[in-house]
Amino acid sequence: MEELATRSIVDQSAFKLSMRQLAGAVSVITVGEGDERTGFTATSVSSLSAEAPSIIVSLNRGSSSWPVVERYRRFCVNVLTANQRHVAQSFAGFDGRQGAERYEDAQWYRLSTGTAALKDALTVLDCELETVLNHHSHAILIGRVCAIETREDVEPLLYWRGGYRRLSGEAVTCP
Ligand SMILES: Cc1cc2nc3c(=O)[nH]c(=O)nc-3n(C[C@H](O)[C@H](O)[C@H](O)COP(=O)(O)O)c2cc1C
C-alpha cells in the first residue's frame, strides 16, 4: 500500500463538529485548597487502568486550574448528577465566577487529602497526579485514584451537541 507523504489537513470546524457528536458524562474537577481552590468542568475524563486504578483527564494549559494542578499535584473528579447542572455552569466559568467563588452554590466536604469533594455527586475519585503529558495546548493528566465514593440511585448529567442532556429511554440490550 502506498504511504501518504504528508498528513492530511483537517479543517478545525469539521473536527469540532465531529467532537460535538460524542455524548459524554460531565464532571467537575476540583483542585487546590482554601483561597487557592478552583476547578473546571470536563467531559474528557476516562478510565485508564483498573489494576493500578488510574484515570485520564485532559486540561487546557491556558485554564486557571493548570498552575494549581501543577503546584498541588492532586485533583478530585466529581461526576455530576442530572440535577447538578448549575455546578457544571459555574466551573465552566459561564457565570463569571473565578476560583473559590465557583464553590458557592453547592455543598462540599473535605477529603483527607485536602481537596474538596461534591456532596451527592454520582461518583467521586480523589487522585494523586502521577504523570503529565503535554500535547499542544493541553495537558493529559494521569491520576492514581486513592479514594472513591459512589451513589447508585441517581442519574448522570450528559453533554451532547453543545447541550446538557438526561438519560432517556430503555437500555439497549444485545440480542
Ligand atoms: C461540558 C463542558 C466540558 C468541558 N470539558 C473540558 C475538558 O475536558 N478539559 C478542559 O480543559 N476544559 C473543558 N471545558 C472548559 C472548562 O470547563 C473551562 O474552560 C474552564 O473551567 C474555564 O477556565 P478558567 O478556569 O480559566 O476560567 C469544558 C466545558 C464544558 C461546558
Side-chain angles (χ1 to χ4, degrees):
M1 191 190 287
E2 199 178 308
E3 272 188 35
L4 282 177
T6 54
R7 244 181 245 185
S8 60
I9 308 296
V10 170
D11 178 52
Q12 223 183 75
S13 57
F15 175 74
K16 285 182 180 171
L17 187 62
S18 170
M19 291 301 99
R20 281 168 60 86
Q21 313 313 316
L22 297 182
V26 184
S27 300
V28 155
I29 316 300
T30 45
V31 297
E33 290 177 37
D35 291 345
E36 290 190 325
R37 271 175 306 165
T38 186
F40 61 102
T41 299
T43 47
S44 60
V45 176
S46 181
S47 169
L48 177 60
S49 63
E51 205 174 297
S54 307
I55 57 159
I56 299 174
V57 186
S58 77
L59 170 61
N60 188 324
R61 281 183 285 134
S63 150
S64 63
S65 294
W66 169 240
V68 184
V69 169
E70 273 193 305
R71 189 159 352 115
Y72 282 84
R73 299 204 58 89
R74 52 184 328 109
F75 60 89
C76 178
V77 174
N78 304 273
V79 182
L80 301 185
T81 63
N83 58 6
Q84 291 172 328
R85 196 168 45 178
H86 62 289
V87 189
Q89 289 293 87
S90 276
F91 280 79
F94 289 154
D95 56 11
R97 294 188 201 188
Q98 295 290 335
E101 291 173 346
R102 291 179 180 171
Y103 290 73
E104 280 171 4
D105 284 345
Q107 288 188 288
W108 305 87
Y109 59 96
R110 203 161 176 267
L111 297 160
S112 58
T113 54
T115 315
L118 178 62
K119 191 168 174 285
D120 298 332
L122 195 58
T123 189
V124 165
L125 299 135
D126 194 18
C127 299
E128 287 167 8
L129 179 62
E130 214 165 54
T131 305
V132 175
L133 303 170
N134 289 323
H135 185 77
H136 299 275
S137 55
H138 281 63
I140 298 169
L141 314 179
I142 299 181
R144 172 67 77 95
V145 180
C146 52
I148 298 174
E149 283 194 30
T150 299
R151 292 183 58 189
E152 295 285 347
D153 57 337
V154 279
E155 291 211 346
L157 179 64
L158 302 178
Y159 196 75
W160 185 55
R161 292 185 175 163
Y164 297 103
R165 312 276 174 155
R166 282 174 176 271
L167 273 184
S168 62
E170 298 295 311
V172 181
T173 52
C174 297

mmCIF file of all heavy atoms in Angstrom, residues 64-101:
data_model
loop_
_atom_site.group_PDB
_atom_site.id
_atom_site.type_symbol
_atom_site.label_atom_id
_atom_site.label_comp_id
_atom_site.label_asym_id
_atom_site.label_seq_id
_atom_site.Cartn_x
_atom_site.Cartn_y
_atom_site.Cartn_z
ATOM 1 N N SER A 64 -7.192 28.533 34.366
ATOM 2 C CA SER A 64 -6.721 28.966 35.695
ATOM 3 C C SER A 64 -6.418 27.758 36.595
ATOM 4 O O SER A 64 -5.733 27.903 37.604
ATOM 5 C CB SER A 64 -7.772 29.857 36.353
ATOM 6 O OG SER A 64 -8.960 29.131 36.565
ATOM 7 N N SER A 65 -6.928 26.586 36.246
ATOM 8 C CA SER A 65 -6.688 25.397 37.079
ATOM 9 C C SER A 65 -5.284 24.815 36.884
ATOM 10 O O SER A 65 -4.759 24.145 37.781
ATOM 11 C CB SER A 65 -7.701 24.296 36.742
ATOM 12 O OG SER A 65 -8.990 24.703 37.105
ATOM 13 N N TRP A 66 -4.699 25.065 35.728
ATOM 14 C CA TRP A 66 -3.439 24.399 35.396
ATOM 15 C C TRP A 66 -2.311 24.701 36.403
ATOM 16 O O TRP A 66 -1.689 23.762 36.927
ATOM 17 C CB TRP A 66 -3.054 24.719 33.950
ATOM 18 C CG TRP A 66 -1.670 24.307 33.560
ATOM 19 C CD1 TRP A 66 -0.676 25.119 33.115
ATOM 20 C CD2 TRP A 66 -1.103 22.982 33.592
ATOM 21 N NE1 TRP A 66 0.457 24.396 32.866
ATOM 22 C CE2 TRP A 66 0.223 23.080 33.154
ATOM 23 C CE3 TRP A 66 -1.595 21.725 33.964
ATOM 24 C CZ2 TRP A 66 1.074 21.979 33.064
ATOM 25 C CZ3 TRP A 66 -0.754 20.624 33.876
ATOM 26 C CH2 TRP A 66 0.561 20.757 33.430
ATOM 27 N N PRO A 67 -2.032 25.977 36.744
ATOM 28 C CA PRO A 67 -0.950 26.216 37.707
ATOM 29 C C PRO A 67 -1.238 25.605 39.077
ATOM 30 O O PRO A 67 -0.306 25.203 39.796
ATOM 31 C CB PRO A 67 -0.847 27.749 37.793
ATOM 32 C CG PRO A 67 -2.034 28.298 37.099
ATOM 33 C CD PRO A 67 -2.589 27.237 36.211
ATOM 34 N N VAL A 68 -2.519 25.500 39.428
ATOM 35 C CA VAL A 68 -2.897 24.943 40.738
ATOM 36 C C VAL A 68 -2.684 23.415 40.730
ATOM 37 O O VAL A 68 -2.185 22.846 41.709
ATOM 38 C CB VAL A 68 -4.358 25.328 41.093
ATOM 39 C CG1 VAL A 68 -4.728 24.851 42.486
ATOM 40 C CG2 VAL A 68 -4.545 26.840 40.976
ATOM 41 N N VAL A 69 -3.018 22.786 39.628
ATOM 42 C CA VAL A 69 -2.770 21.337 39.490
ATOM 43 C C VAL A 69 -1.271 21.061 39.592
ATOM 44 O O VAL A 69 -0.833 20.140 40.290
ATOM 45 C CB VAL A 69 -3.315 20.801 38.142
ATOM 46 C CG1 VAL A 69 -2.831 19.388 37.864
ATOM 47 C CG2 VAL A 69 -4.828 20.851 38.115
ATOM 48 N N GLU A 70 -0.495 21.897 38.921
ATOM 49 C CA GLU A 70 0.973 21.707 38.938
ATOM 50 C C GLU A 70 1.536 21.857 40.351
ATOM 51 O O GLU A 70 2.428 21.126 40.742
ATOM 52 C CB GLU A 70 1.627 22.767 38.046
ATOM 53 C CG GLU A 70 1.724 22.387 36.591
ATOM 54 C CD GLU A 70 2.653 23.317 35.851
ATOM 55 O OE1 GLU A 70 2.435 24.539 35.902
ATOM 56 O OE2 GLU A 70 3.619 22.807 35.241
ATOM 57 N N ARG A 71 1.003 22.836 41.103
ATOM 58 C CA ARG A 71 1.519 23.089 42.453
ATOM 59 C C ARG A 71 1.102 21.992 43.438
ATOM 60 O O ARG A 71 1.915 21.489 44.186
ATOM 61 C CB ARG A 71 1.025 24.457 42.943
ATOM 62 C CG ARG A 71 1.669 24.898 44.227
ATOM 63 C CD ARG A 71 1.598 26.409 44.474
ATOM 64 N NE ARG A 71 1.095 27.171 43.359
ATOM 65 C CZ ARG A 71 -0.054 27.868 43.392
ATOM 66 N NH1 ARG A 71 -0.785 27.898 44.471
ATOM 67 N NH2 ARG A 71 -0.442 28.555 42.318
ATOM 68 N N TYR A 72 -0.195 21.619 43.425
ATOM 69 C CA TYR A 72 -0.697 20.666 44.436
ATOM 70 C C TYR A 72 -0.473 19.212 44.036
ATOM 71 O O TYR A 72 -0.472 18.333 44.881
ATOM 72 C CB TYR A 72 -2.188 20.906 44.694
ATOM 73 C CG TYR A 72 -2.434 22.102 45.588
ATOM 74 C CD1 TYR A 72 -2.482 23.381 45.065
ATOM 75 C CD2 TYR A 72 -2.612 21.962 46.963
ATOM 76 C CE1 TYR A 72 -2.700 24.486 45.876
ATOM 77 C CE2 TYR A 72 -2.836 23.055 47.781
ATOM 78 C CZ TYR A 72 -2.877 24.318 47.232
ATOM 79 O OH TYR A 72 -3.090 25.402 48.045
ATOM 80 N N ARG A 73 -0.372 18.967 42.748
ATOM 81 C CA ARG A 73 -0.172 17.619 42.198
ATOM 82 C C ARG A 73 -1.219 16.609 42.684
ATOM 83 O O ARG A 73 -0.955 15.458 42.958
ATOM 84 C CB ARG A 73 1.261 17.114 42.445
ATOM 85 C CG ARG A 73 2.281 18.042 41.764
ATOM 86 C CD ARG A 73 3.585 17.379 41.444
ATOM 87 N NE ARG A 73 3.520 16.219 40.604
ATOM 88 C CZ ARG A 73 3.577 16.232 39.268
ATOM 89 N NH1 ARG A 73 3.638 17.361 38.609
ATOM 90 N NH2 ARG A 73 3.572 15.098 38.593
ATOM 91 N N ARG A 74 -2.441 17.123 42.815
ATOM 92 C CA ARG A 74 -3.571 16.238 43.098
ATOM 93 C C ARG A 74 -4.851 16.915 42.603
ATOM 94 O O ARG A 74 -4.895 18.130 42.429
ATOM 95 C CB ARG A 74 -3.669 15.897 44.575
ATOM 96 C CG ARG A 74 -3.667 17.016 45.562
ATOM 97 C CD ARG A 74 -3.683 16.464 46.969
ATOM 98 N NE ARG A 74 -4.411 15.229 46.980
ATOM 99 C CZ ARG A 74 -3.848 14.014 47.138
ATOM 100 N NH1 ARG A 74 -2.572 13.906 47.382
ATOM 101 N NH2 ARG A 74 -4.579 12.929 47.103
ATOM 102 N N PHE A 75 -5.885 16.108 42.376
ATOM 103 C CA PHE A 75 -7.171 16.655 41.932
ATOM 104 C C PHE A 75 -8.259 15.649 42.261
ATOM 105 O O PHE A 75 -7.977 14.476 42.535
ATOM 106 C CB PHE A 75 -7.138 16.971 40.421
ATOM 107 C CG PHE A 75 -6.867 15.788 39.526
ATOM 108 C CD1 PHE A 75 -7.904 14.997 39.049
ATOM 109 C CD2 PHE A 75 -5.562 15.449 39.153
ATOM 110 C CE1 PHE A 75 -7.656 13.916 38.216
ATOM 111 C CE2 PHE A 75 -5.304 14.366 38.321
ATOM 112 C CZ PHE A 75 -6.358 13.598 37.852
ATOM 113 N N CYS A 76 -9.500 16.144 42.262
ATOM 114 C CA CYS A 76 -10.618 15.251 42.557
ATOM 115 C C CYS A 76 -11.634 15.344 41.420
ATOM 116 O O CYS A 76 -12.011 16.445 41.004
ATOM 117 C CB CYS A 76 -11.249 15.666 43.880
ATOM 118 S SG CYS A 76 -12.667 14.679 44.323
ATOM 119 N N VAL A 77 -12.043 14.194 40.913
ATOM 120 C CA VAL A 77 -13.057 14.128 39.845
ATOM 121 C C VAL A 77 -14.420 13.912 40.505
ATOM 122 O O VAL A 77 -14.609 12.937 41.242
ATOM 123 C CB VAL A 77 -12.761 12.962 38.876
ATOM 124 C CG1 VAL A 77 -13.894 12.807 37.864
ATOM 125 C CG2 VAL A 77 -11.428 13.174 38.169
ATOM 126 N N ASN A 78 -15.358 14.843 40.262
ATOM 127 C CA ASN A 78 -16.719 14.742 40.799
ATOM 128 C C ASN A 78 -17.659 14.557 39.604
ATOM 129 O O ASN A 78 -17.864 15.510 38.833
ATOM 130 C CB ASN A 78 -17.090 16.031 41.535
ATOM 131 C CG ASN A 78 -16.106 16.367 42.643
ATOM 132 O OD1 ASN A 78 -16.254 15.914 43.762
ATOM 133 N ND2 ASN A 78 -15.075 17.160 42.319
ATOM 134 N N VAL A 79 -18.167 13.360 39.419
ATOM 135 C CA VAL A 79 -19.053 13.094 38.277
ATOM 136 C C VAL A 79 -20.458 13.577 38.656
ATOM 137 O O VAL A 79 -21.006 13.171 39.693
ATOM 138 C CB VAL A 79 -19.046 11.591 37.904
ATOM 139 C CG1 VAL A 79 -19.935 11.349 36.688
ATOM 140 C CG2 VAL A 79 -17.614 11.117 37.626
ATOM 141 N N LEU A 80 -21.034 14.449 37.820
ATOM 142 C CA LEU A 80 -22.266 15.144 38.193
ATOM 143 C C LEU A 80 -23.527 14.325 37.938
ATOM 144 O O LEU A 80 -23.592 13.536 36.986
ATOM 145 C CB LEU A 80 -22.374 16.470 37.428
ATOM 146 C CG LEU A 80 -21.231 17.468 37.633
ATOM 147 C CD1 LEU A 80 -21.554 18.777 36.912
ATOM 148 C CD2 LEU A 80 -20.939 17.733 39.106
ATOM 149 N N THR A 81 -24.539 14.589 38.769
ATOM 150 C CA THR A 81 -25.858 14.004 38.562
ATOM 151 C C THR A 81 -26.676 14.978 37.711
ATOM 152 O O THR A 81 -26.313 16.145 37.537
ATOM 153 C CB THR A 81 -26.587 13.767 39.903
ATOM 154 O OG1 THR A 81 -26.804 15.032 40.524
ATOM 155 C CG2 THR A 81 -25.767 12.893 40.829
ATOM 156 N N ALA A 82 -27.823 14.481 37.199
ATOM 157 C CA ALA A 82 -28.645 15.272 36.281
ATOM 158 C C ALA A 82 -29.075 16.612 36.881
ATOM 159 O O ALA A 82 -29.293 17.571 36.140
ATOM 160 C CB ALA A 82 -29.860 14.455 35.871
ATOM 161 N N ASN A 83 -29.205 16.681 38.218
ATOM 162 C CA ASN A 83 -29.655 17.958 38.807
ATOM 163 C C ASN A 83 -28.499 18.827 39.316
ATOM 164 O O ASN A 83 -28.712 19.744 40.094
ATOM 165 C CB ASN A 83 -30.705 17.714 39.909
ATOM 166 C CG ASN A 83 -30.168 16.836 41.008
ATOM 167 O OD1 ASN A 83 -28.973 16.503 40.995
ATOM 168 N ND2 ASN A 83 -31.000 16.446 41.947
ATOM 169 N N GLN A 84 -27.275 18.558 38.864
ATOM 170 C CA GLN A 84 -26.125 19.387 39.270
ATOM 171 C C GLN A 84 -25.590 20.225 38.102
ATOM 172 O O GLN A 84 -24.420 20.600 38.073
ATOM 173 C CB GLN A 84 -25.021 18.499 39.876
ATOM 174 C CG GLN A 84 -25.454 17.920 41.218
ATOM 175 C CD GLN A 84 -24.492 16.891 41.769
ATOM 176 O OE1 GLN A 84 -23.844 16.161 41.012
ATOM 177 N NE2 GLN A 84 -24.418 16.816 43.084
ATOM 178 N N ARG A 85 -26.465 20.571 37.185
ATOM 179 C CA ARG A 85 -26.068 21.333 36.006
ATOM 180 C C ARG A 85 -25.506 22.716 36.361
ATOM 181 O O ARG A 85 -24.593 23.207 35.731
ATOM 182 C CB ARG A 85 -27.297 21.494 35.108
ATOM 183 C CG ARG A 85 -26.963 21.906 33.710
ATOM 184 C CD ARG A 85 -28.144 21.764 32.810
ATOM 185 N NE ARG A 85 -29.360 22.291 33.416
ATOM 186 C CZ ARG A 85 -30.530 22.318 32.808
ATOM 187 N NH1 ARG A 85 -30.645 21.818 31.593
ATOM 188 N NH2 ARG A 85 -31.587 22.811 33.397
ATOM 189 N N HIS A 86 -26.070 23.317 37.420
ATOM 190 C CA HIS A 86 -25.587 24.649 37.834
ATOM 191 C C HIS A 86 -24.121 24.598 38.279
ATOM 192 O O HIS A 86 -23.383 25.559 38.112
ATOM 193 C CB HIS A 86 -26.469 25.225 38.943
ATOM 194 C CG HIS A 86 -26.475 24.420 40.215
ATOM 195 N ND1 HIS A 86 -27.086 23.186 40.336
ATOM 196 C CD2 HIS A 86 -25.910 24.660 41.403
ATOM 197 C CE1 HIS A 86 -26.916 22.730 41.551
ATOM 198 N NE2 HIS A 86 -26.198 23.597 42.229
ATOM 199 N N VAL A 87 -23.700 23.452 38.818
ATOM 200 C CA VAL A 87 -22.288 23.304 39.243
ATOM 201 C C VAL A 87 -21.407 23.254 37.995
ATOM 202 O O VAL A 87 -20.342 23.873 37.938
ATOM 203 C CB VAL A 87 -22.089 22.043 40.121
ATOM 204 C CG1 VAL A 87 -20.689 22.030 40.730
ATOM 205 C CG2 VAL A 87 -23.142 21.965 41.225
ATOM 206 N N ALA A 88 -21.885 22.550 36.970
ATOM 207 C CA ALA A 88 -21.142 22.492 35.693
ATOM 208 C C ALA A 88 -20.986 23.891 35.110
ATOM 209 O O ALA A 88 -19.909 24.258 34.625
ATOM 210 C CB ALA A 88 -21.867 21.586 34.703
ATOM 211 N N GLN A 89 -22.055 24.682 35.165
ATOM 212 C CA GLN A 89 -22.007 26.036 34.597
ATOM 213 C C GLN A 89 -20.986 26.915 35.324
ATOM 214 O O GLN A 89 -20.221 27.643 34.707
ATOM 215 C CB GLN A 89 -23.397 26.691 34.689
ATOM 216 C CG GLN A 89 -24.408 26.085 33.738
ATOM 217 C CD GLN A 89 -24.049 26.368 32.279
ATOM 218 O OE1 GLN A 89 -23.295 25.619 31.666
ATOM 219 N NE2 GLN A 89 -24.583 27.436 31.733
ATOM 220 N N SER A 90 -20.970 26.842 36.661
ATOM 221 C CA SER A 90 -20.026 27.653 37.448
ATOM 222 C C SER A 90 -18.591 27.279 37.141
ATOM 223 O O SER A 90 -17.736 28.133 36.935
ATOM 224 C CB SER A 90 -20.246 27.433 38.949
ATOM 225 O OG SER A 90 -21.259 28.244 39.392
ATOM 226 N N PHE A 91 -18.312 25.972 37.103
ATOM 227 C CA PHE A 91 -16.930 25.517 36.912
ATOM 228 C C PHE A 91 -16.472 25.619 35.448
ATOM 229 O O PHE A 91 -15.279 25.505 35.173
ATOM 230 C CB PHE A 91 -16.737 24.094 37.470
ATOM 231 C CG PHE A 91 -16.546 24.091 38.962
ATOM 232 C CD1 PHE A 91 -17.625 24.212 39.824
ATOM 233 C CD2 PHE A 91 -15.273 24.018 39.516
ATOM 234 C CE1 PHE A 91 -17.449 24.246 41.203
ATOM 235 C CE2 PHE A 91 -15.085 24.046 40.897
ATOM 236 C CZ PHE A 91 -16.178 24.158 41.733
ATOM 237 N N ALA A 92 -17.425 25.879 34.565
ATOM 238 C CA ALA A 92 -17.032 26.162 33.173
ATOM 239 C C ALA A 92 -16.741 27.652 33.019
ATOM 240 O O ALA A 92 -16.323 28.091 31.949
ATOM 241 C CB ALA A 92 -18.144 25.727 32.225
ATOM 242 N N GLY A 93 -17.024 28.421 34.079
ATOM 243 C CA GLY A 93 -16.763 29.868 34.045
ATOM 244 C C GLY A 93 -17.871 30.640 33.341
ATOM 245 O O GLY A 93 -17.721 31.831 33.082
ATOM 246 N N PHE A 94 -19.012 29.992 33.062
ATOM 247 C CA PHE A 94 -20.070 30.644 32.289
ATOM 248 C C PHE A 94 -20.779 31.750 33.062
ATOM 249 O O PHE A 94 -21.374 32.636 32.468
ATOM 250 C CB PHE A 94 -21.101 29.617 31.794
ATOM 251 C CG PHE A 94 -20.580 28.719 30.700
ATOM 252 C CD1 PHE A 94 -21.124 27.456 30.506
ATOM 253 C CD2 PHE A 94 -19.560 29.139 29.853
ATOM 254 C CE1 PHE A 94 -20.659 26.617 29.486
ATOM 255 C CE2 PHE A 94 -19.088 28.314 28.836
ATOM 256 C CZ PHE A 94 -19.640 27.051 28.656
ATOM 257 N N ASP A 95 -20.770 31.662 34.412
ATOM 258 C CA ASP A 95 -21.437 32.724 35.175
ATOM 259 C C ASP A 95 -20.435 33.761 35.702
ATOM 260 O O ASP A 95 -20.744 34.548 36.576
ATOM 261 C CB ASP A 95 -22.284 32.123 36.312
ATOM 262 C CG ASP A 95 -21.462 31.225 37.234
ATOM 263 O OD1 ASP A 95 -20.212 31.240 37.124
ATOM 264 O OD2 ASP A 95 -22.061 30.518 38.059
ATOM 265 N N GLY A 96 -19.228 33.725 35.160
ATOM 266 C CA GLY A 96 -18.226 34.743 35.501
ATOM 267 C C GLY A 96 -17.480 34.508 36.793
ATOM 268 O O GLY A 96 -16.613 35.295 37.178
ATOM 269 N N ARG A 97 -17.807 33.421 37.511
ATOM 270 C CA ARG A 97 -17.116 33.179 38.783
ATOM 271 C C ARG A 97 -15.715 32.643 38.569
ATOM 272 O O ARG A 97 -15.466 31.886 37.622
ATOM 273 C CB ARG A 97 -17.900 32.175 39.619
ATOM 274 C CG ARG A 97 -19.224 32.751 40.039
ATOM 275 C CD ARG A 97 -19.890 31.836 40.998
ATOM 276 N NE ARG A 97 -21.319 32.124 41.001
ATOM 277 C CZ ARG A 97 -22.157 31.598 41.856
ATOM 278 N NH1 ARG A 97 -21.727 30.758 42.772
ATOM 279 N NH2 ARG A 97 -23.419 31.907 41.812
ATOM 280 N N GLN A 98 -14.844 33.024 39.484
ATOM 281 C CA GLN A 98 -13.446 32.593 39.419
ATOM 282 C C GLN A 98 -13.091 31.866 40.717
ATOM 283 O O GLN A 98 -13.640 32.182 41.768
ATOM 284 C CB GLN A 98 -12.520 33.813 39.292
ATOM 285 C CG GLN A 98 -12.681 34.597 37.998
ATOM 286 C CD GLN A 98 -12.163 33.837 36.786
ATOM 287 O OE1 GLN A 98 -11.304 32.967 36.901
ATOM 288 N NE2 GLN A 98 -12.696 34.151 35.624
ATOM 289 N N GLY A 99 -12.126 30.987 40.650
ATOM 290 C CA GLY A 99 -11.532 30.361 41.834
ATOM 291 C C GLY A 99 -12.541 29.843 42.834
ATOM 292 O O GLY A 99 -13.493 29.134 42.482
ATOM 293 N N ALA A 100 -12.356 30.209 44.124
ATOM 294 C CA ALA A 100 -13.184 29.681 45.212
ATOM 295 C C ALA A 100 -14.651 30.085 45.085
ATOM 296 O O ALA A 100 -15.533 29.407 45.634
ATOM 297 C CB ALA A 100 -12.617 30.139 46.553
ATOM 298 N N GLU A 101 -14.950 31.156 44.341
ATOM 299 C CA GLU A 101 -16.366 31.568 44.134
ATOM 300 C C GLU A 101 -17.170 30.451 43.456
ATOM 301 O O GLU A 101 -18.374 30.366 43.629
ATOM 302 C CB GLU A 101 -16.439 32.782 43.207
ATOM 303 C CG GLU A 101 -15.915 34.073 43.783
ATOM 304 C CD GLU A 101 -15.879 35.187 42.724
ATOM 305 O OE1 GLU A 101 -16.005 34.902 41.492
ATOM 306 O OE2 GLU A 101 -15.692 36.327 43.124
#
